[in-house]
Amino acid sequence: MNYFVTTSIPYVNGEPHIGHALEFIQADVLARYARQQGKPVLFSIGTDEHGGKIEEKATELGITPLDLASQMSGKFKLIAEQLNISNDRFIRTTDKGHEQRAALIWEALKKDIYKSSYEGLYCTGCEAFVTEATAKENNNVCPNHNKPYEKIKEENYFFKLSSYGAKIQKAIEDGSFKIVPASRKHEILNVIKDGLEDISISRPKEKIGWGIPVPEDKKQVMYVWFEALMNYITVLGYPEHEDFKKYWPANVQVIGKDILRFHAAIWPGMLLALELPLPKILYVHGFVAGEGGVKMSKSLGNVVAPQEILDQYTADVVRYYFLRHIPSYGDGDFSWQKLRDTYNSELANELGNVVQRTAVMIEKYQEGVIGVIPPAEHDVAEYERALEECRFDKALEEVWHQVRGLNKYIEDEKPWTIAKDGDSDHLREVLAYQVSAILQIADMLLPFIPETAEKIASIFKEGLIQPIEGTLFPRMDADSNTS
RNA sequence: GGCAGGAUAGCUCAGUUGGUUAGAGCGCAGGACUCAUAAGCCUGAGGUCCCGAGUUCAAAUCUCGGUCCUGCUACCA
């Protein structure tokens, strides 16, 4: 009954990008849908703030790592607000609560943690070791950071992930830990089947100071990835808080395809070691490319920040585009042209107009009196199934099927002709049916474009048309936006 | 190299266990209407279903071979 949904927590190393926006929006739909069904919901998002990269950047800027993290975290928070994300919590890994509880988790994992020295080639940019083969392939220079690999020997703590591979595999295979889409499930099973290796989970403090101290070892801090994953339960107040008992395991954890391994192998390993249940569903979205499916990159100059889109369009428009036109199970792309076409044809012409024409007819022919609205009658099974499978695109297609159906209904019934013929009973019946269909559509749209859905409902709910200011989605001219 | 997925209309894609004339949305062209945001509705054009062979009464669908693309993963010197 209780419903817990999370997004991954973005690393505050970079500005919020379109992929973060997508993830926030998708998770928000799940949260709002669950609330609509009357479930107690907890929806958390947040930011991941420790690690060497933050430390370095802060040093460059001459500020403290925490100041930098706070600044960046604020930007993610702002984007979430602008997108009308209904998160109940926003966790920062620098929150005292997270830091303290991370230490408790470490203690609880102790039977699976051991110390060992590790020698290998390391990239400070990636904060990761690479195999010799990889290093050779790249001529000893990390391609991501353009820095030579350093040969280092470190004392690290390790987590016995290898002990949990079989259990994780079983949970994925039997569906108790469901990974969608299925292609991602196969992908990770392929990795797990070959056996999971123990992972390094700490760094020497002298090398990376910006992190959560390892309990009882002042010389080590927790590896940022290991500690960041813990946010999903520290945010609930693991281990003692009521919320933790109430909301864990998560119903859905929303992540991007680039961090599948962390969430489908390491994280479940940690949970199993803690003797906690695994999340029910791990939903993996794809990437958003730029125009023509070309990857967004600074050097190509085709990067579009969520902020830029929000400067020109309302949150609902942005939400709609991302949910309907970025395939829920694959990669998609963003272009201003596509956004405007979508806006005009789907939101303005089809949805906005059907609301408008219905409201106007009731005002014109019946002084705004709606009369008895029949109950909703369209089958929503497909819509519901789509949502259960995190197929946001498909769910919206189902809604639009109804929007189109309604426009067709109006053309078939021709209320304006009925009005001329003076058959007021029949006219009232037809218009009330239109309202019924619109209200059902608004209901289905509530998790997706909440402001619009509420506005639509408000027009018809009182039995008398309550006009709104302007129109829902005024059409946009071809030259009204460029950038 | 291994594993997985893909190639269908100008674009994005759907095509369930093989079964008449291969579909939708967008875009494009034409039409009738007038309640509405010059929106909506109707009609139409547009396809060698990647290539080749095979199985079958029948293949977009199944088999084999090939080409190209994507993802994951491994490795050689």
Side-chain angles (χ1 to χ4, degrees):
Chain A
M1 180 66 180
N2 297 328
Y3 194 89
F4 180 41
V5 56
T6 71
T7 62
S8 62
I9 51 173
Y11 196 46
V12 292
N13 190 37
E15 300 285 325
H17 58 65
I18 246 172
H20 298 123
L22 173 71
E23 186 165 313
F24 283 160
I25 293 167
Q26 291 175 327
D28 191 51
V29 173
L30 297 174
R32 286 178 185 272
Y33 181 59
R35 284 194 203 101
Q36 193 182 16
Q37 292 176 315
K39 297 177 184 171
V41 171
L42 204 140
F43 171 24
S44 82
I45 66 177
T47 42
D48 175 13
E49 309 185 7
H50 290 118
K53 274 187 255 184
I54 302 303
E55 194 174 19
E56 273 175 37
K57 204 167 176 181
T59 308
E60 269 172 41
L61 296 169
I63 57 177
T64 68
L66 183 58
D67 283 343
L68 173 62
S70 298
Q71 210 179 88
M72 295 303 296
S73 182
K75 292 187 184 185
F76 284 93
K77 208 169 198 169
L78 179 64
I79 283 293
E81 278 165 24
Q82 289 176 321
L83 287 168
N84 204 8
I85 303 304
S86 65
N87 56 299
D88 302 289
R89 307 257 163 101
F90 187 102
I91 187 172
R92 300 180 52 186
T93 55
T94 50
D95 289 340
K96 278 284 161 287
H98 174 78
E99 296 185 346
Q100 287 162 2
R101 291 170 195 288
L104 294 178
I105 292 170
W106 184 283
E107 299 282 358
L109 289 171
K110 237 172 181 174
K111 66 172 172 31
D112 287 305
I113 292 177
Y114 62 93
K115 201 171 189 178
S116 172
S117 73
Y118 190 90
E119 187 172 24
L121 295 162
Y122 187 83
C123 170
T124 50
C126 304
E127 289 179 37
F129 287 96
V130 296
T131 62
E132 297 225 357
T134 310
K136 256 185 187 169
E137 208 168 90
N138 300 325
N139 291 319
N140 268 313
V141 176
C142 172
N144 297 326
H145 298 91
N146 213 17
K147 283 183 194 167
Y149 296 115
E150 296 169 42
K151 186 153 200 172
I152 57 174
K153 183 175 180 180
E154 306 190 330
E155 288 263 287
N156 283 172
Y157 287 96
F158 283 77
F159 172 64
K160 282 190 202 164
L161 183 60
S162 57
S163 318
Y164 296 98
K167 274 191 189 168
I168 298 167
Q169 183 179 342
K170 186 175 172 295
I172 294 172
E173 277 170 350
D174 70 21
S176 56
F177 175 41
K178 188 176 172 192
I179 298 175
V180 290
S183 53
R184 299 292 165 206
K185 167 181 160 179
H186 296 144
E187 190 179 309
I188 196 67
L189 278 175
N190 200 29
V191 173
I192 297 174
K193 263 183 237 161
D194 294 340
L196 294 172
E197 287 180 12
D198 292 349
I199 52 163
S200 161
I201 57 168
S202 74
R203 294 289 181 269
K205 194 177 174 106
E206 53 174 24
K207 198 160 284 172
I208 294 171
W210 182 233
I212 301 177
V214 168
E216 294 163 26
D217 187 341
K218 295 203 169 94
K219 289 185 175 161
Q220 297 268 329
V221 299
M222 297 184 197
Y223 178 45
V224 60
W225 251 114
F226 191 65
E227 161 248 307
L229 287 166
M230 299 175 185
N231 93 84
Y232 302 125
I233 55 176
T234 63
V235 74
L236 296 176
Y238 170 90
E240 85 290 356
H241 198 284
E242 205 44 44
D243 284 341
F244 177 69
K245 288 161 199 156
K246 192 170 163 191
Y247 286 108
W248 192 261
N251 294 72
V252 184
Q253 297 205 259
V254 180
I255 64 164
K257 64 179 183 179
D258 53 328
I259 51 176
L260 177 64
R261 288 179 80 129
F262 293 94
H263 288 81
I266 299 175
W267 175 231
M270 291 164 69
L271 288 167
L272 289 170
L274 291 168
E275 294 175 2
L276 294 174
L278 305 186
K280 290 177 186 152
I281 297 175
L282 183 67
Y283 163 65
V284 188
H285 67 250
F287 288 161
V288 184
E291 193 140 2
V294 181
K295 190 182 172 188
M296 287 190 190
S297 76
K298 280 184 190 161
S299 51
L300 285 175
N302 66 341
V303 176
V304 178
Q307 187 63 62
E308 290 176 63
I309 312 174
L310 285 162
D311 287 342
Q312 298 187 44
Y313 292 90
T314 62
D316 275 357
V317 175
V318 180
R319 293 169 65 104
Y320 179 81
Y321 181 88
F322 280 81
L323 292 164
R324 174 97 191 261
H325 295 291
I326 303 297
S328 307
Y329 281 5
D331 297 338
D333 53 57
F334 173 86
S335 80
W336 290 104
Q337 175 72 44
K338 247 177 147 175
L339 176 62
R340 197 178 55 230
D341 287 350
T342 294
Y343 176 90
N344 278 334
S345 73
E346 289 161 19
L347 293 176
N349 294 353
E350 294 184 309
L351 177 63
N353 189 233
V354 82
V355 169
Q356 177 91 339
R357 65 200 300 212
T358 299
V360 168
M361 280 191 270
I362 293 170
E363 285 182 319
K364 196 177 259 187
Y365 302 140
Q366 300 178 167
E367 282 84 44
V369 179
I370 299 167
V372 183
I373 303 168
E377 64 166 31
H378 290 106
D379 183 16
V380 293
E382 285 293 317
Y383 165 88
E384 285 172 350
R385 188 180 323 161
L387 267 173
E388 272 154 30
E389 294 169 346
C390 302
R391 288 293 309 269
F392 310 103
D393 50 357
K394 204 174 164 196
L396 280 174
E397 254 166 53
E398 285 301 318
V399 179
W400 249 255
H401 190 66
Q402 292 193 22
V403 173
R404 294 198 174 108
L406 180 56
N407 269 319
K408 195 167 288 195
Y409 171 84
I410 296 172
E411 296 299 330
D412 288 347
E413 293 295 331
K414 298 183 179 55
W416 50 92
T417 306
I418 305 175
K420 276 176 200 153
D421 295 346
D423 188 348
S424 57
D425 284 350
H426 186 207
L427 181 62
R428 191 176 355 261
E429 211 177 290
V430 169
L431 293 178
Y433 173 83
Q434 287 177 220
V435 171
S436 160
I438 286 174
L439 287 176
Q440 188 179 13
I441 287 164
D443 212 43
M444 295 168 88
L445 287 177
L446 192 65
F448 294 85
I449 46 175
E451 278 177 30
T452 302
E454 278 167 25
K455 234 186 238 181
I456 293 173
S458 76
I459 295 172
F460 300 99
K461 268 209 167 139
E462 302 301 321
L464 197 67
I465 296 297
Q466 309 289 317
I468 53 163
E469 268 188 49
T471 46
L472 289 171
F473 300 105
R475 272 185 68 88
M476 294 199 125
D477 298 331
D479 55 356
S480 68
N481 81 59
T482 38
S483 31

